[in-house]
Amino acid sequence: MAKFGGDGPLFPYYIRSNFTRNCEKYWWTNLLFINNFYPKLNYACLQWTWYLAAEMQFFLLSPLLIYPLFRSRKTGILIAFLTILACTITYGVLNTYYGLSPRLFDSPKRKIPDDTSPMELTYTKPYARIQPYVVGILVGYLLFARRSLHIPKVVAFVGWITAALLGLLVVYGLYPLYHDTTVQWDQSVYSLYNCTFRLVWGLVIAWIIIACHRRRGGPVNAILSWKVWIPLGRLTYGVYLIHIIILCVIFVNLRQLIHYTDLTMAFLYAAILILSYVGAFLFALFIEYPLFALEELLRKG
């Protein structure tokens, strides 16, 4: 369907590379959930679906973390901690070796092959992203094992302040680096940020979940528990699959550059958001939910 989405100057190249050539040759890597390792990102079918492969790999590895927790709390926590530590060190070493910057599309300081995207060096790999997943497993175990967990008000206050500061540091700590692309920091700072920011963000989300679950969420819990998020949340998978297609169809059909203004970006954001959710609704209505219903019938049969 995407090939009927326009006729802009970049459109034929985009369709040929992302939907025709790449998918005809490497569609099977998506089915096997290995497309974050093979082929190279520039040749992958539906390049943004590398994250589905990473999620499946996390899922397949999860019994190695959950079963030890079931058998022995101390052993399970130790294995989880060592997993986080090993992945953090690996990510940091690779960042230092290649000279990677937190600015995603900066060229690595070390020479890499021309057909290799800087993103595939670490960005798409499971060892760069599993830390928050492990934190999530530990949070689930904590809430299961300590169902009567009580958080004192003082602890809750300190927890929210700490989580807010860490969250703001992760999001806005690199503002000088992005605000002025000529700014350069030491590689050790880049590597430290790159190998820890997902872990820190995972800990922030973990605190929000625990605090809200134990009635220490206040207005945050009220907002996150708003029922309007339920139908929107059920469409997020479809939005993830579709939104890149909508973005590309819009931008590869352009025949002139966009003059940046905040208002222009706000309108583009709103339009793409609405179109993505409309597309996700149709995807759920005609594909996702019918397949769920068929699966349920097969189970009962």
Side-chain angles (χ1 to χ4, degrees):
M1 293 296 292
K3 65 181 180 180
F4 301 109
D7 59 355
L10 296 177
F11 195 79
Y13 168 78
Y14 170 76
I15 292 299
R16 186 170 63 253
S17 63
N18 279 281
F19 291 98
T20 305
R21 183 189 63 200
N22 290 0
C23 288
E24 286 179 353
K25 190 173 183 180
Y26 294 113
W27 59 269
W28 55 273
T29 62
N30 293 58
L31 295 182
L32 294 177
F33 295 101
I34 60 171
N35 51 305
N36 60 333
F37 282 100
Y38 180 83
K40 290 181 179 293
L41 191 61
N42 291 333
Y43 306 116
C45 175
L46 305 179
Q47 295 172 348
W48 62 96
T49 59
W50 64 264
Y51 191 76
L52 299 182
E55 283 285 330
M56 177 58 72
Q57 290 154 15
F58 298 159
F59 174 74
L60 294 176
L61 290 172
S62 62
L64 301 178
L65 297 168
I66 296 174
Y67 184 73
L69 281 170
F70 173 74
R71 299 295 298 176
S72 170
R73 181 179 63 184
K74 291 182 179 180
T75 302
I77 292 175
L78 177 62
I79 292 174
F81 174 77
L82 291 177
T83 301
I84 293 174
L85 182 62
C87 292
T88 302
I89 292 174
T90 301
Y91 194 21
V93 169
L94 289 172
N95 271 269
T96 303
Y97 176 78
Y98 286 112
L100 299 178
S101 163
R103 290 187 294 229
L104 187 58
F105 298 104
D106 278 6
S107 298
K109 294 178 182 178
R110 181 176 290 270
K111 177 66 175 176
I112 62 174
D114 292 337
D115 62 347
T116 300
S117 167
M119 289 181 62
E120 67 189 84
L121 297 175
T122 56
Y123 187 82
T124 62
K125 300 300 184 284
Y127 47 76
R129 295 181 169 274
I130 200 172
Q131 300 100 317
Y133 194 87
V134 178
V135 171
I137 290 176
L138 292 175
V139 169
Y141 174 76
L142 174 65
L143 295 178
F144 171 79
R146 300 287 301 274
R147 300 184 185 185
S148 59
L149 177 67
H150 173 69
I151 302 177
K153 290 184 178 180
V154 174
V155 174
F157 176 79
V158 173
W160 277 110
I161 295 297
T162 304
L165 291 176
L166 289 176
L168 290 171
L169 181 63
V170 168
V171 175
Y172 295 107
L174 296 181
Y175 176 80
L177 203 63
Y178 279 94
H179 183 66
D180 183 356
T181 55
T182 63
V183 171
Q184 295 293 332
W185 294 344
D186 189 76
Q187 182 59 47
S188 61
V189 178
Y190 291 165
S191 298
L192 178 63
Y193 179 87
N194 282 342
C195 73
T196 59
F197 80 93
R198 290 191 183 93
L199 174 60
V200 173
W201 186 255
L203 293 172
V204 171
I205 301 301
W207 167 256
I208 294 173
I209 293 171
I210 294 171
C212 290
H213 185 74
R214 301 315 306 166
R215 302 176 185 272
R216 294 299 187 192
V220 174
N221 184 48
I223 294 171
L224 295 179
S225 300
W226 193 23
K227 291 184 178 180
V228 74
W229 304 127
I230 297 175
L232 295 177
R234 290 173 178 169
L235 295 175
T236 52
Y237 177 65
V239 171
Y240 163 71
L241 291 177
I242 291 169
H243 82 285
I244 294 291
I245 298 175
I246 293 174
L247 277 167
C248 291
V249 166
I250 290 175
F251 289 108
V252 300
N253 277 297
L254 292 176
R255 287 175 166 79
Q256 60 187 12
L257 297 176
I258 294 177
H259 178 69
Y260 177 89
T261 67
D262 292 342
L263 188 60
T264 300
M265 290 299 106
F267 275 110
L268 277 174
Y269 173 81
I272 293 168
L273 180 66
I274 293 170
L275 288 172
S276 297
Y277 267 97
V278 170
F281 174 76
L282 296 175
F283 175 82
L285 187 63
F286 293 108
I287 299 177
E288 191 174 359
Y289 289 146
L291 288 176
F292 285 159
L294 179 60
E295 181 183 6
E296 189 66 23
L297 288 174
L298 292 175
R299 285 181 178 179
K300 291 180 179 179

